[in-house]
Amino acid sequence: MTVPDTQAPPADGVEAHFERTIERDQRVEPRDWMPGRYRTTMVRQIAQHAHSEIIGMQPEGAWITRAPSLRRKAILLAKVQDEAGHGLYLYSAAETLGADRADLTRRLISGRQKYSSIFNYPTTTFADVGVIGWLVDGAAICNQVPLCRSSYGPYARAMVRICKEESFHQRQGYEMLMCLMRGTPAQREMVQDAVDRWWWPSLMMFGPPDADSTHTAQSMAWKIKRHTNDELRQRFVDMTVPQARALGVTLPDPDLRWNEERGHHDFGEIDWSELKRVISGDGPCNAERIEVRRAAHEDGAWVREAAAAHAAKQADTAGREGMEA
Ligand SMILES: [Fe+2]
Ligand SMILES: [Fe+2]
């Protein structure tokens, strides 16, 4: 375990200072004292987020070579590269808490740390790329915009830039779907089929219902989470229904309807057993995703070794020059 339990034994007043920082809505910075559990929770949250960005490159990356035009290929390449960038910012943010990136990668590959369950579903047609942009990046935006106000400074700041890029991802997906919906009946069917497959897994991205969510209360108190899973899920549904109508697709839920009294859409029961199954490793693509990640990591070993050798050489030269001076 590379994450220290606490940074230093709290001297008089540091704990009160931490509490005040949270209470006043100020940011906790890497140099500040923080409770060991806050640090561990933050590392877990950031690592899980970083892993999701990196694994999330796979389902869409698989379509880069098969994009139907140069324009679509360029957009998709840019999007997938953005996700790699998000992963890198986030691993860096985790390192400010004392985590070690190589260790986090080992934990991902060995299954000890999770990533978003959504990336364990296959992308079977090019319409999936559009639907992922619209629904999956759309859900990610709902989840991540409030995190720009996370109490942990480096995470909050990384999230500002990430959210800007996520809104490009959402728009490119929606724009592609609008194009396809103006196309042939077969293209429209392809979009509807993708929506049918991705709708429910997208709702699961917000995590288990509040009643079963183990981390929510403490995370809300520490302001590393600003809204509950169910609140965010509701926001996503309310935002998406008019977009589906504008596109001309049907969301696959017979119970989905506007509730005048609540001022929100009601929607059907989510199959929580499916979420549990996919999280615990038994989704359609879990094994494949980890295998691809493991192979990529092993293939990159020579790059890491070369970079380390170069850094050692630089340090050695700088040391010798220092002695000569
Ligand atoms: Fe991302
Ligand atoms: Fe994205």
Side-chain angles (χ1 to χ4, degrees):
M1 185 76 184
T2 52
V3 182
D5 198 34
T6 50
Q7 199 168 21
D12 261 337
V14 284
E15 199 155 2
H17 180 262
F18 172 82
E19 298 293 343
R20 253 194 327 272
T21 304
I22 302 284
E23 200 183 304
R24 290 178 183 166
D25 239 337
Q26 291 165 338
R27 304 281 92 92
V28 176
E29 296 298 336
R31 63 173 180 274
D32 296 338
W33 181 88
M34 61 192 87
R37 280 206 306 135
Y38 177 91
R39 186 184 295 275
T40 318
T41 305
M42 259 347 285
V43 170
R44 189 187 56 231
Q45 183 179 344
I46 299 175
Q48 208 163 298
H49 191 167
H51 298 330
S52 304
E53 302 283 358
I54 297 297
I55 296 284
M57 294 165 74
Q58 291 184 35
E60 289 177 283
W63 282 92
I64 292 174
T65 55
R66 292 173 288 170
S69 69
L70 180 60
R71 180 169 171 267
R72 292 294 169 199
K73 192 194 282 269
I75 295 172
L76 185 54
L77 258 176
K79 193 212 165 189
V80 173
Q81 282 179 350
D82 280 355
E83 307 299 8
H86 298 173
L88 299 188
Y89 302 150
L90 291 166
Y91 284 127
S92 300
E95 286 188 316
T96 67
L97 289 157
D100 171 64
R101 187 169 147 196
D103 178 54
L104 297 179
T105 301
R106 272 194 299 273
R107 284 163 187 267
L108 168 66
I109 291 172
S110 64
R112 280 175 297 153
Q113 273 177 346
K114 306 273 182 221
Y115 55 90
S116 176
S117 59
I118 193 79
F119 301 118
N120 291 314
Y121 292 86
T123 42
T124 53
T125 71
F126 196 69
D128 288 32
V129 172
V131 170
I132 289 177
W134 175 38
L135 297 179
V136 175
D137 289 274
I141 292 170
C142 282
N143 263 329
Q144 291 172 13
V145 165
L147 296 177
C148 297
R149 295 189 300 123
S150 162
S151 61
Y152 188 58
Y155 188 46
R157 289 188 289 273
M159 214 47 70
V160 173
R161 175 156 177 186
I162 289 177
C163 283
K164 285 184 187 156
E165 293 177 347
E166 296 300 355
S167 47
F168 150 64
H169 300 169
Q170 208 247 0
R171 274 153 191 246
Q172 64 81 34
Y174 194 75
E175 190 262 351
M176 180 203 297
L177 297 180
M178 279 200 308
C179 252
L180 286 168
M181 291 305 285
R182 282 195 300 263
T184 63
Q187 285 173 315
R188 280 194 289 279
E189 261 167 51
M190 189 166 86
V191 173
Q192 183 61 55
D193 167 67
V195 171
D196 291 345
R197 285 179 289 110
W198 289 93
W199 173 248
W200 291 105
S202 301
L203 293 188
M204 294 174 199
M205 281 176 71
F206 297 91
D210 293 349
D212 303 344
S213 180
T214 40
H215 306 304
T216 299
Q218 180 63 79
S219 294
M220 298 275 281
W222 276 334
K223 297 186 181 167
I224 55 186
K225 194 169 175 160
R226 296 286 186 155
H227 306 281
T228 70
N229 296 353
D230 288 336
E231 284 165 11
L232 292 167
R233 190 167 9 247
Q234 181 72 62
R235 187 177 292 184
F236 174 70
V237 171
D238 290 341
M239 179 181 102
T240 307
V241 168
Q243 294 172 350
R245 204 173 299 131
L247 269 179
V249 296
T250 308
L251 297 174
D253 178 1
D255 297 322
L256 184 65
R257 62 180 60 86
W258 178 251
N259 182 324
E260 192 66 55
E261 224 167 276
R262 291 202 308 123
H264 290 292
H265 292 87
D266 290 337
F267 51 95
E269 187 61 32
I270 293 168
D271 180 359
W272 297 117
S273 64
E274 177 178 324
L275 177 64
K276 275 197 195 119
R277 213 167 49 240
V278 178
I279 287 183
S280 64
D282 199 18
C285 302
N286 297 55
E288 179 189 332
R289 299 291 184 242
I290 290 295
E291 180 47 32
V292 168
R293 183 69 196 96
R294 192 192 56 73
H297 186 65
E298 281 171 13
D299 281 351
W302 69 272
V303 180
R304 293 188 296 278
E305 281 158 22
H310 179 70
K313 201 166 142 193
Q314 296 285 94
D316 192 41
T317 312
R320 252 183 294 121
E321 281 169 1
M323 282 203 305
E324 282 162 19

